[in-house]
């Protein structure tokens, strides 16, 4: 993509309304534009990041055996009356009336709708286990929308729902989600720590929130510093294997790590003092086992092996897809701008022409652009007639992890410059070597 033909409305000024760095940088880098309070348009650069986050979520859900669907944003109030949540939900729910005076709502979550679907089609234990999920916009009329996409009113969520015959089977689904979420966040370059959370009105002990530590996080958290040493890495987990998934759960949740809602000073005091931490965190996901409450109220029953009619055991599991764009920036930026992890970067490599209009330099850049694209890399080529300083500032702001810089002086020596956004280190090499290096970083064949 050529920058001269792209739509990248970067801002020079720091927007006054943005209180935290990710919000400021998303506005300055032309990623989002506010439509109204807590509601945003995703501009081209932001949209590419959002799509990359979604892709990783889909890939990891597929790996865990979960099945994608797509449910609507608008729901009928009747379903929610059946579960008893229509009145309980309160003013966060956006209620709408259609032309026939039917009560509708913009879904804040989808337990009712997915349970109705499963109730309509699933009758036998033979159809289980079953986990369905979607990535869809939600609306919650938050009292204080703020921090850009981090606490929006309209936001994109992955929400998944497991249906199982027994509590034991549903807890396996819970563990499987925990494992798949660990992988998902790590692939995005994030450390998200599972913490014991509050299960709210439905009750039960089985819920964990995943938190990214950040000073700007809205949640107060308490943990044993050993939890920050854990990494999931490139483990080969069999998601059908109870023991393997349970083993990962124990490894990642046996140490103290709780949100303020479940924090217990007496228990925390047993952690050696040098390892006790209190900090702030961004909630990027939550997993939940809640039993048979929805299946009973919405009629999701199956015949078990003994021929008895039993309610399904359910859990729900959410990832804040749009919030993650902000969370990744909170975790990865410097004074000059965003530093994208390779997995979610909007373009894999930036190309800077230092002498736009010089025919030899233009030709060299065009050749490199084509060669990169041929290798399957996404490239943003700054072909504007701008000073080098302005081009570097834009590249640093939008945070592409790798930059190839091409100028007449280098070309005389047959070299270009390859620069890492993260370290700032530059290396001179031939254009071919730079292309190979970048392709290698992204795991593409030579
Ligand atoms: P919070 O406590 O932050 O209000 P929640 O616990 O109500 O969130 P869940 O119902 O668990 O949210 O939703 C799953 C995920 O969706 C959350 O972990 C979070 O990452 C994301 N999310 C929730 N509310 C918002 C919001 N207003 N804006 C952006 N993302 C959100
Ligand atoms: Mg939550």
């Amino acid at each position: 993509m050529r920058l001269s033909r792209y739509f990248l409305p970067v801002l020079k000024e720091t927007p006054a309304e943005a209180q935290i760095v990710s919000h400021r940088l998303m506005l300055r880098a032309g990623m989002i534009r506010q439509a109204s309070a807590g509601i945003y348009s995703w501009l081209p650069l932001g949209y590419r990041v959002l799509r990359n986050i979604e892709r990783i979520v889909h890939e990891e859900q597929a790996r865990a055996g979960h099945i994608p669907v797509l449910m609507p944003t608008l729901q009928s109030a009747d379903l929610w009356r059946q579960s008893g949540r229509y009145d309980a939900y309160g003013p966060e729910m956006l209620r709408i009336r259609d032309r026939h005076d039917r009560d509708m709502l913009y879904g804040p979550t989808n337990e009712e709708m997915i349970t109705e679907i499963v109730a309509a089609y699933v009758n036998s234990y033979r159809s289980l286990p079953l986990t369905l999920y979607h990535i869809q916009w939600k609306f919650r009329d938050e009292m204080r929308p703020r921090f850009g996409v981090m606490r929006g009113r309209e936001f994109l969520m992955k929400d998944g729902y497991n249906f199982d015959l027994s509590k034991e089977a549903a807890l396996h689904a819970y563990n499987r989600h925990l494992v798949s979420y660990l992988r998902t966040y790590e692939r995005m370059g994030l450390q998200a720590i599972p913490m014991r959370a509050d299960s709210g009105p439905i009750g039960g002990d089985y819920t964990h929130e995943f938190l990214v530590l950040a000073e700007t996080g809205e949640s107060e958290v308490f943990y044993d510093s050993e939890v920050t040493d854990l990494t999931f890495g490139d483990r080969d987990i069999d998601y059908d294997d109870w023991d393997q998934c349970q083993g990962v759960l124990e490894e990642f949740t046996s140490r103290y790590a709780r949100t303020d809602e479940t924090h217990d000073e007496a228990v925390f005091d047993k952690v050696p003092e040098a390892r006790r931490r209190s900090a702030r965190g961004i909630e990027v996901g939550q997993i939940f086992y809640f039993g048979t409450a929805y299946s009973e109220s919405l009629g999701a029953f199956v015949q078990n092996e003994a021929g008895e009619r039993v309610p399904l055991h359910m859990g729900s599991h959410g990832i804040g897809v749009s919030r993650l764009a902000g969370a990744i920036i909170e975790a990865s930026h410097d004074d000059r701008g965003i530093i994208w992890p390779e997995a979610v970067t909007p373009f894999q490599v930036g190309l800077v022409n230092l002498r736009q209009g010089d025919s030899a330099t233009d030709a060299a850049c065009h050749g490199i652009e084509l060669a990169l694209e041929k290798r399957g890399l996404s490239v943003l080529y700054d072909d504007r007639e701008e000073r080098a300083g302005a081009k570097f500032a834009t590249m640093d702001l939008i945070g592409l992890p790798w930059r190839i810089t091409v100028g007449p002086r280098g070309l005389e020596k047959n070299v270009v410059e390859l620069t890492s956004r993260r370290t700032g280190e530059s290396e001179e090499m031939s254009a071919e070597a730079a292309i190979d290096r970048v392709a290698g970083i992204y795991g593409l064949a030579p």
Side-chain angles (χ1 to χ4, degrees):
M1 176 56 67
R2 297 212 170 191
L3 193 44
S4 65
R5 296 176 196 160
Y6 200 46
F7 182 60
L8 183 71
V10 299
L11 305 178
K12 291 220 171 60
E13 313 296 319
T14 300
E17 74 270 25
Q19 298 166 40
I20 62 169
V21 67
S22 59
H23 188 195
R24 281 197 291 275
L25 288 173
M26 288 181 85
L27 291 170
R28 285 192 52 214
M31 290 178 65
I32 53 170
R33 179 168 178 80
Q34 185 176 305
S36 56
I39 304 179
Y40 290 87
S41 295
W42 291 76
L43 305 181
L45 198 76
Y47 185 57
R48 290 183 76 105
V49 172
L50 192 65
R51 284 282 168 266
N52 285 337
I53 294 171
E54 276 190 277
R55 178 179 42 77
I56 292 172
V57 171
H58 278 305
E59 284 172 8
E60 292 306 326
Q61 288 302 302
R63 200 195 295 268
H66 305 159
I67 303 166
V69 295
L70 185 60
M71 291 174 272
T73 53
L74 294 184
Q75 305 188 20
S76 143
D78 289 341
L79 265 182
W80 288 69
R81 292 198 176 101
Q82 251 174 284
S83 72
R85 284 211 292 184
Y86 188 65
D87 293 323
Y89 216 93
E92 268 193 20
M93 179 184 276
L94 182 64
R95 295 155 208 260
I96 304 162
R97 185 158 291 164
D98 73 10
R99 66 195 295 165
H100 303 294
D101 270 347
R102 277 187 286 253
D103 290 326
M104 312 281 293
L105 56 99
Y106 194 132
T109 178
N110 282 62
E111 280 83 3
E112 283 79 359
M113 191 176 279
I114 195 79
T115 309
E116 191 278 331
I117 292 171
V118 169
Y121 298 110
V122 175
N123 307 307
S124 160
Y125 70 92
R126 288 194 198 86
S127 307
L128 306 175
L130 180 65
T131 295
L132 302 172
Y133 78 95
H134 70 166
I135 297 181
Q136 177 62 292
W137 294 93
K138 303 290 183 288
F139 195 94
R140 294 181 186 172
D141 204 349
E142 300 273 357
M143 179 75 111
R144 281 189 72 194
R146 55 181 185 156
F147 301 160
V149 299
M150 296 265 259
R151 182 162 297 282
R153 293 198 296 164
E154 189 187 48
F155 59 97
L156 191 59
M157 195 204 285
K158 171 263 163 181
D159 42 322
Y161 306 87
N162 66 282
F163 296 88
D164 288 279
L165 188 58
S166 64
K167 177 172 179 182
E168 196 197 19
L171 290 181
H172 176 55
Y174 184 89
N175 299 345
R176 204 173 59 225
H177 277 87
L178 182 122
V179 176
S180 71
Y181 280 23
L182 289 171
R183 277 193 84 106
T184 302
Y185 300 119
E186 266 192 35
R187 276 190 62 188
M188 296 176 191
L190 284 176
Q191 181 173 42
I193 302 166
M195 299 201 180
R196 173 104 71 95
D198 183 23
S199 55
I202 312 169
D205 286 337
Y206 300 97
T207 183
H208 283 91
E209 287 183 354
F210 289 77
L211 285 114
V212 173
L213 298 176
E215 277 165 36
T216 51
E218 290 186 285
S219 312
E220 192 177 11
V221 298
F222 301 85
Y223 61 93
D224 177 339
S225 64
E226 283 190 354
V227 298
T228 57
D229 299 336
L230 299 169
T231 51
F232 187 79
D234 197 22
R235 303 181 200 191
D236 206 3
I237 295 281
D238 176 353
Y239 280 99
D240 290 333
D241 187 319
W242 224 107
D243 294 332
Q244 282 189 33
C245 293
Q246 176 73 18
V248 172
L249 174 107
E250 278 163 15
E251 179 184 346
F252 280 82
T253 64
S254 57
R255 294 174 187 78
Y256 194 94
R258 297 191 189 186
T259 63
D260 55 355
E261 294 156 341
T262 54
H263 180 54
D264 182 333
E265 278 295 338
V267 185
F268 194 44
D269 279 348
K270 300 204 179 95
V271 177
E273 195 175 350
R275 298 202 325 239
R276 262 180 251 155
R277 300 279 186 282
S278 78
R280 303 201 67 84
I282 303 166
E283 183 196 327
V284 291
Q286 183 163 16
I287 55 175
F288 215 128
Y289 161 72
F290 48 68
T292 58
Y294 292 101
S295 36
E296 288 184 53
S297 58
L298 292 153
F301 289 73
V302 295
Q303 296 240 312
N304 66 15
E305 281 182 70
E308 297 150 344
R309 195 165 168 271
V310 292
L312 291 171
H313 286 260
M314 287 178 63
S316 66
H317 315 276
I319 293 182
V321 172
S322 50
R323 178 179 286 181
L324 274 166
I328 292 168
I329 297 174
E330 289 294 326
S332 186
H333 66 270
D334 63 15
D335 297 345
R336 289 173 292 146
I338 303 166
I339 305 174
W340 290 116
E342 272 98 4
V344 298
T345 184
F347 291 93
Q348 290 166 312
V349 53
L351 177 62
V352 169
N353 183 336
L354 291 178
R355 182 84 55 83
Q356 198 68 44
D358 171 76
S359 57
T361 317
D362 290 359
C365 283
H366 186 48
I368 293 170
E369 181 191 20
L370 291 177
L372 288 166
E373 283 171 352
K374 205 166 163 192
R375 297 290 278 273
L377 291 158
S378 54
V379 47
L380 185 63
Y381 169 23
D382 191 345
D383 62 339
R384 297 170 305 161
E385 311 237 333
E386 279 278 1
R387 288 177 302 107
K391 292 190 175 188
F392 291 149
T394 300
M395 282 293 174
D396 285 348
L397 173 64
I398 68 172
L400 310 185
W402 298 94
R403 185 184 83 207
I404 296 174
T405 309
V406 182
R409 243 178 291 156
L411 288 177
E412 270 169 33
K413 297 184 285 173
N414 241 331
V415 295
V416 300
E417 203 177 61
L418 178 64
T419 307
S420 155
R421 174 68 182 85
R422 188 168 293 280
T423 66
E425 280 164 26
S426 290
E427 230 184 292
E428 287 193 339
M429 61 186 81
S430 70
E432 294 69 34
I435 293 161
D436 278 345
R437 179 81 72 82
V438 175
I441 288 163
Y442 286 102
L444 300 170

